[in-house]
Amino acid sequence: MPDPQTGPEDAQRPEAGHELVVVANRLPVDSRTLPDGATEWVTSPGGLVTAMESVMRTVDSGAWVGWAGGTGEAPSPFVADGMHLYPVPLDGHEVERYYEGFSNATLWPLYHDVIVDPEFHRTWWDDYQRVNRRFARAAAEVAAPGGIVWVHDYQLQLVPAMIRETRPDARIGFFNHIPFPPVELFSQLPKRNQILRGLLGADVLGFQREGDTLNFVAAVRKLLGYHTDGQTITVPGLGTAPSREVQARTFPISIDSQSVSDLTEDPDIQERARQLRADMGDPAKIVLGVDRLDYTKGIRHRLKAWGELLADGAIDPHDAVMIQVATPSRERVDAYRQLRDEVELTVGRINGDHAPIGRPAISYQHRSFDRRDMTALYMAADVVLVTALRDGMNLVAKEYVASRTDEQGVLVLSEFAGAADELRAALRVNPHDIDELKSSILRALAMGEDEQREAMTSLRRQVMDHDVQAWAHAFLDELESVGRDEITTRRIRLTGETPTPEAELEASLRTFAEVPRILVASDFDGVLAPIVAERDAVQPDPEAIVALRELSEMPGVSVALVSGRSLTNLDHHTRMPSSVVLVGSHGAEVGALPPWMHAEVLDSFALTMSPQKEQLLESITHTLHRIASANPGAEVETKPAAAVLHTRRARGRGAGNATEAALEYALSLPDVTVTPGKEVVEFSVVDANKGVAIEALARASAADAWLYLGDDVTDETVFDQLGDDDLGIKVGPGDTGAGLRVEGTAQVRELLTHLAALRRARG
């Protein structure tokens, strides 16, 4: 694979975005330092990588978003094997808190039946949110309109909802590779509802086992109170927004079965298998365990059973030997360091007590093996022990089956591994019952060739017919079929944060300035005035205000300010002349109109309040004040038709907690328009938005074209209305329906001043 720095062409993505974007904690490549100091990227081993390679070949353009594995600045995007790779950066603190902390010391043990106690730290949650937001932003920026985004695993459970916030056009899938716990265990998790809502941003949620799917549906029903019909979940929209249906389904993952099976035909691997048996002293039986060194894998239980069989004399160490491969894992986490110490102490004690001279009772390998050596181990093993205490699937079981083209060998399989649901011809065992585990090992060692062949034939049929490619295509077929008729593709014209080139912006302004009758409109906060913590301390750019006033006095030009602020507040901070129309509360309030505007056109979206709406607004305001009082620094603003929660000044985690509480409350208000924005959540009892307001203003002013400047998600309703001659200008970063972008308020000042000069020169 190429070095990520090899040429700018590798960093370019298709202009329209990628048809399929995979989002996972890690990229499908690992870096390797060569003797000359250069960096080489090599494909990572693993079923997900193999599955996606085959799927990517079926789409015009595929991408993968993930962490490259190091800390600090991420490599530039690059292309490997036809797949565009987009590295996401993590610093050292984020690796410690997001990855080792919340992901692997909180979620991992909780989702694996609390085999060890999970740890809960609020700073870990802060980093988990921050990193998930970064992954979501990276994916949203590179996905094509209406494209598929497939998010993977427990490290990224907030990503689906975060992507949906900015890319409602995308079809979003999530697959959970590890178990999903019963609701009684999941309920222990702080921020449990945020996790559930994050996952429910997906259209399809996939789980390894039917029990995991049912556990998730039960958690949603009990903790969120959402309606469920079988495995279909109805997710209510915010306020008047429509509800969505989310499918929770079971898709047991598999392996590249044919690839593993083909390796067994390699003469070098066959010789390696024979040599392994010779290296072990040609014992009658080899028993193999292959695991990451993880407390969920049941390694201690397995060693205990083997040690007792040796002590009982049920196994002669001259006749049978165990090989235990324990791949290093998460070695900076205390629980894993302790597990390694315990395992190695146990192996040493058993070997000291029972190993003959020159041959171990247990050959312990604390290192990784490549695919070829691992296949040779499978071919050499008479019995493979998979004794996981809890496992999403366990692909070792399937790899062993795929490697036994001779239809010999015995698989002892924990009933707590997902693979047990499919590999029913294996010897199933409860690994917590040491006596049962010992009996299963003895039965496996004594099984005759005919019985082995009968069981292995059945196992191989299952594994070879249901490979990882079939798994991936089954999931994507489900995702493509769900909600197709309901998807409305919001047009994303710009992604990222790069401003429009000056030449392009200049050409667009010159063309617009020549239109006979124009409407020039703008948002206020973040566009004409920098955003500040104290709302009343806001100061609009004086030169930008002067330019707008000048434009408003020119023939054929109408000017409007459209803001989320109340009309009175907007007037107080702008002091605009009567020639400038002020529209407040996202379009629910309209100020005085100049005489040339057709007032009757604006009646359709003017403020109308009934006693029922007044009462509803009073109730909403009371609830928001209660939320604000629980989160110091949060404030509530009351408008004639809306109440707004402001979190910009909230202290500590108060901003996130207050926003979360407000959005949860919003789900109970089906007759209210709820608009989340930059550190605000607005609840309007009058259905209005900026897009409707601009459309009405354009008609009222008989404008041939309009220009609008906006920075917030609320401005996207305007950009959705853009016609061929209109100009939508996004101020600042983020995906947008606008066709042009400027960096900030300073550039807005320059743009408006230049537009005024162009219009003045037109005469």
Side-chain angles (χ1 to χ4, degrees), residues 355-368:
I357 294 176
R359 178 189 297 178
I362 301 175
S363 176
Y364 174 72
Q365 307 292 322
H366 182 248
R367 57 191 177 91
S368 299

Side-chain angles (χ1 to χ4, degrees), residues 151-165:
V151 186
H152 288 268
D153 228 0
Y154 64 103
Q155 303 97 338
L156 303 175
Q157 292 177 103
L158 303 179
V159 168
M162 290 174 171
I163 293 175
R164 186 164 295 282
E165 289 173 10

Side-chain angles (χ1 to χ4, degrees), residues 254-290:
S254 192
I255 61 171
D256 188 358
S257 314
Q258 192 59 54
S259 175
V260 174
S261 186
D262 289 345
L263 282 175
T264 65
E265 304 301 319
D266 187 318
D268 291 339
I269 295 177
Q270 294 173 353
E271 177 57 32
R272 178 63 179 141
R274 287 190 289 269
Q275 187 60 46
L276 279 168
R277 294 194 72 94
D279 292 344
M280 292 292 100
D282 285 320
K285 298 287 185 180
I286 290 180
V287 177
L288 175 65
V290 178

Side-chain angles (χ1 to χ4, degrees), residues 314-337:
I315 291 177
D316 185 340
H318 293 85
D319 296 332
V321 64
M322 173 185 279
I323 301 174
Q324 175 60 55
V325 176
T327 304
S329 175
R330 300 170 190 164
E331 295 187 294
R332 294 185 2 162
V333 179
D334 286 341
Y336 289 80
R337 288 199 297 263

